[in-house]
Amino acid sequence: MSQQSWEELYSIALEWTKEAGTYIREKMKNTYGVSSKANQNDLVTDVDRDVEELFKKKLKECFPDHRLMGEEGSAELVNDLKGVIWILDPIDGTVNFVHQETFFAVSLGVYLNGVGMIGIVYDVMNDEMFSALKGQGAVVNGTKLARLGEVHLNEAIISMNAGWILKDRRLEYFVNESRGIRSYGSAALEIAYVASGRLDAYISFALSPWDIAGGVVLLSEVGGIATNYEGNELSYLEKDTFIAANPFIHEEIIRHVHHKS
Ligand code: IPD
Ligand code: CA
Ligand code: CA
Ligand code: CA
């Protein structure tokens, strides 16, 4: 595809994401079905499924040769990264969506042969749209995000889930050495926050491709770094450990989480 057509695709992806946000806000006014998947932390609602369906229908109609890798079912059909793949989390932060009715996002990454071309993370209730087209920088509601500047761990705000700290005591290092720890419950938004400098790093023990695909494109456009705990490239085909960080502290984080004893 030419640069011109990527720009077109970018504006279509933004339009569809906004449409999904409007749909979600509307559905929240009434009751909707909620069920749990693997465990009590893992919820899915009719709204998650509807949003995935919305993208599925639109893609079939407008770009039948593009594939959809969505959390709520369509990912099962995708086993390689060839061609154009829309990696979608219809609602990232479903527990927040159900319990808090805020702080959740639609997360979308459009990848070409495994390379992130478009990244979108839409905070539906705050109407904050983080987005990027590869090579053109990242924006939030149209305002350009600055490249990430120098930061030291003792002045860094790091986001991670309390459960991971209990599971992996090495993470206590960051509790002691950073300026503060936060935990928001939406991986996609937390990566977007690292890209916008509101956080300096986000660390997770296990994330899926749809949690990270949108955010990673934003992050690389501002000079941030995303890898797994070993410092290796992310695969986008399976769950992995995850670090999104300001480039000045990424290496130090790896030193403290990378172990294979
Ligand atoms: C979850 C959220 C959460 C993270 C979990 C994810 P979901 O996504 O991003 O913050 O800790 O690992 O699975 O299930 O709400 O889309
Ligand atoms: Ca889920
Ligand atoms: Ca998710
Ligand atoms: Ca989800």
Side-chain angles (χ1 to χ4, degrees):
M1 267 199 294
S2 66
Q3 181 63 19
Q4 160 98 25
S5 32
W6 277 106
E7 273 168 23
E8 274 162 24
L9 205 61
Y10 182 38
S11 63
I12 291 168
L14 283 166
E15 199 183 296
W16 292 358
T17 306
K18 274 186 212 142
E19 202 178 304
T22 306
Y23 178 84
I24 294 169
R25 283 189 296 267
E26 202 49 43
K27 290 296 273 190
M28 287 170 79
K29 293 180 183 158
N30 301 307
T31 51
Y32 50 80
V34 183
S35 46
S36 55
K37 299 207 281 189
N39 54 54
Q40 88 271 21
N41 312 321
D42 194 3
L43 299 180
V44 63
T45 75
D46 296 343
V47 188
D48 301 59
R49 295 198 183 96
D50 290 353
V51 170
E52 186 155 327
E53 203 51 42
L54 186 141
F55 276 89
K56 203 198 259 174
K57 273 208 190 108
K58 284 178 178 296
L59 278 183
K60 206 169 160 195
E61 216 178 279
C62 303
F63 306 107
D65 56 331
H66 294 185
R67 290 184 290 164
L68 180 65
M69 186 201 284
E71 179 181 9
E72 308 306 343
S74 56
E76 284 159 27
L77 308 169
V78 180
N79 300 308
D80 65 77
L81 296 174
K82 283 186 209 125
V84 180
I85 305 190
W86 293 52
I87 309 180
L88 173 75
D89 196 336
I91 298 183
D92 181 61
T94 301
V95 172
N96 288 353
F97 171 67
V98 171
H99 289 266
Q100 304 183 301
E101 300 192 334
T102 191
F103 222 84
F104 57 86
V106 177
S107 172
L108 174 67
V110 185
Y111 281 59
L112 172 66
N113 298 321
V115 176
M117 300 297 292
I118 293 170
I120 297 178
V121 175
Y122 182 41
D123 180 336
V124 174
M125 301 315 280
N126 288 315
D127 194 22
E128 241 186 354
M129 180 74 80
F130 296 89
S131 68
L133 175 62
K134 185 176 163 54
Q136 298 202 349
V139 294
V140 56
N141 288 352
T143 303
K144 195 145 191 187
L145 295 176
R147 283 190 78 78
L148 298 177
E150 185 165 356
V151 74
H152 299 278
L153 194 61
N154 62 4
E155 57 195 12
I157 308 291
I158 296 185
S159 184
M160 57 192 179
N161 177 327
W164 299 142
I165 306 174
L166 290 179
K167 272 207 179 91
D168 183 345
R169 291 291 177 168
R170 287 168 310 160
L171 295 176
E172 281 178 12
Y173 175 79
F174 303 107
V175 179
N176 293 323
E177 302 300 325
S178 71
R179 179 164 285 165
I181 300 294
R182 300 289 182 273
S183 183
Y184 294 102
S186 162
L189 276 176
E190 285 161 293
I191 304 165
Y193 275 20
V194 178
S196 54
R198 297 177 193 177
L199 290 170
D200 301 295
Y202 168 64
I203 304 174
S204 172
F205 207 70
L207 288 178
S208 298
W210 44 84
D211 298 313
I212 60 173
V216 166
V217 179
L218 300 170
L219 190 67
S220 61
E221 285 299 310
V222 295
I225 303 177
T227 64
N228 66 10
Y229 277 16
E230 278 75 47
N232 297 329
E233 255 182 60
L234 304 154
S235 90
Y236 300 103
L237 283 173
E238 53 197 22
K239 263 195 175 179
D240 203 349
T241 52
F242 182 78
I243 298 164
N246 176 296
F248 292 88
I249 57 171
H250 179 266
E251 216 178 287
E252 185 172 359
I253 296 174
I254 297 281
R255 273 205 308 277
H256 287 274
V257 295
H258 180 27
H259 76 310
K260 286 285 173 215
S261 45

